[in-house]
Amino acid sequence: MITATAARIINFLPDKWVTSISKNIINNYLNKYANIHITGSENLKEIQTPTIFVCNHLSNSDGLVLDKALKAIDPTFVAGEKLSNNAVTSIGVNVMKTTTIKPNTADKEGLEKIIKLVKQGESLLIFPEGTRSRASNLIEAKKGILLIARLTGAPIVPIGLYGTEKLLPIHQDGNMKAETFNKADVHIQIGQQFELLQRAKEQDKKEYEEFTLTYIMKKIAELLPEGYRGVYK
């Protein structure tokens, strides 16, 4: 992976240069290390937009490969702000359209930006788990996806992704600057668009949220091999 010193130098350049250099760096890494297989692309042909793509999260390379797979729609990625604050991982952020949010907080400003983007016609990509899965299978999702889906009214497209945990593995000490690319087969399965479930009269708020969140995550799980389905088998 690019060194922290080189990344900091790049990020001090004019924005136009930063984007161009970052794209070249990332494309070189993906061309060298990632053998990307995409299925379900036909599900993108007639979807309603703006839409919210939801995907499992295994690696800091997830956004990079999904950005290539979804280039025809070119969604904005909802990312934790620490990716932008890290010189090395910011190189990846530079090549994608992103909007940041503070994880595990009531980030009203970040949420307002997200809602505004969708209202302006922008599609989103969200990792509902909120963090990368160290076990390489689905972990419990956060409720943020429900709030965003309700407030925007946008339909949802599920994506199952695997192989990126081998392409750019999570460092055992959590040091993102020390993560390195390895050759790997990466599989992206795009599912069919669906609408957020409506709350039934007999459901209380908590019951509805738990049921609906599980429904969304099982849509992702259906697109993954059984070993990756984790708590949503």
Side-chain angles (χ1 to χ4, degrees):
M1 191 69 174
I2 186 172
T3 65
T5 300
R8 282 194 291 269
I9 292 172
I10 291 170
N11 285 316
F12 273 118
L13 296 172
D15 289 346
K16 185 176 180 180
W17 289 13
V18 170
T19 300
S20 177
I21 293 171
S22 297
K23 283 183 177 180
N24 285 334
I25 291 170
I26 295 303
N27 283 335
N28 286 337
Y29 276 125
L30 294 184
N31 290 337
K32 180 176 180 180
Y33 294 104
N35 185 19
I36 301 174
H37 307 269
I38 304 172
T39 54
S41 295
E42 65 277 6
N43 290 324
L44 299 177
K45 292 180 180 178
E46 297 182 2
I47 64 171
Q48 175 188 338
T49 57
T51 192
I52 300 172
F53 294 96
V54 291
C55 185
N56 58 309
H57 199 11
L58 301 172
S59 162
N60 276 332
S61 65
D62 293 349
L64 305 177
V65 298
L66 290 170
D67 187 54
K68 293 177 75 71
L70 301 174
K71 188 54 69 179
I73 295 176
D74 197 22
T76 292
F77 287 73
V78 178
E81 63 178 2
K82 67 179 181 180
L83 290 178
S84 298
N85 294 335
N86 181 298
V88 175
T89 55
S90 68
I91 296 298
V93 174
N94 290 336
V95 308
M96 305 179 295
K97 292 190 300 183
T98 61
T99 184
T100 59
I101 195 164
K102 297 174 184 176
N104 303 315
T105 66
D107 186 0
K108 184 178 179 181
E109 183 180 353
L111 183 61
E112 287 177 349
K113 288 181 180 178
I114 290 170
I115 304 306
K116 184 177 180 181
L117 283 170
V118 178
K119 296 297 185 183
Q120 292 173 340
E122 190 73 21
S123 291
L124 302 174
L125 190 142
I126 297 174
F127 299 109
E129 296 158 287
T131 188
R132 297 171 294 171
S133 171
R134 268 96 178 139
S136 296
N137 53 39
L138 283 168
I139 58 177
E140 284 193 23
K142 309 293 185 183
K143 292 182 180 179
I145 179 59
L146 296 179
L147 181 60
I148 293 170
R150 284 205 304 265
L151 291 176
T152 62
I156 299 170
V157 177
I159 299 176
L161 170 68
Y162 63 99
T164 52
E165 79 282 3
K166 298 175 183 176
L167 177 65
L168 187 62
I170 299 173
H171 191 267
Q172 60 182 2
D173 296 326
N175 183 2
M176 292 189 290
K177 293 185 290 186
E179 294 175 354
T180 58
F181 279 89
N182 302 279
K183 289 190 175 181
D185 288 318
V186 174
H187 298 267
I188 301 170
Q189 173 74 36
I190 301 169
Q192 294 183 334
Q193 189 177 57
F194 64 94
E195 299 284 342
L196 190 69
L197 296 171
Q198 296 298 310
R199 180 175 169 181
K201 292 181 179 180
E202 66 274 11
Q203 285 181 310
D204 61 29
K205 184 173 183 284
K206 182 179 180 181
E207 181 185 7
Y208 167 73
E209 288 181 345
E210 290 178 351
F211 177 80
T212 306
L213 191 57
T214 298
Y215 181 82
I216 292 172
M217 296 307 293
K218 285 197 171 183
K219 287 286 188 180
I220 296 174
E222 291 170 0
L223 303 172
L224 293 167
E226 188 172 349
Y228 285 87
R229 295 176 184 175
V231 297
Y232 295 103
K233 287 182 179 179

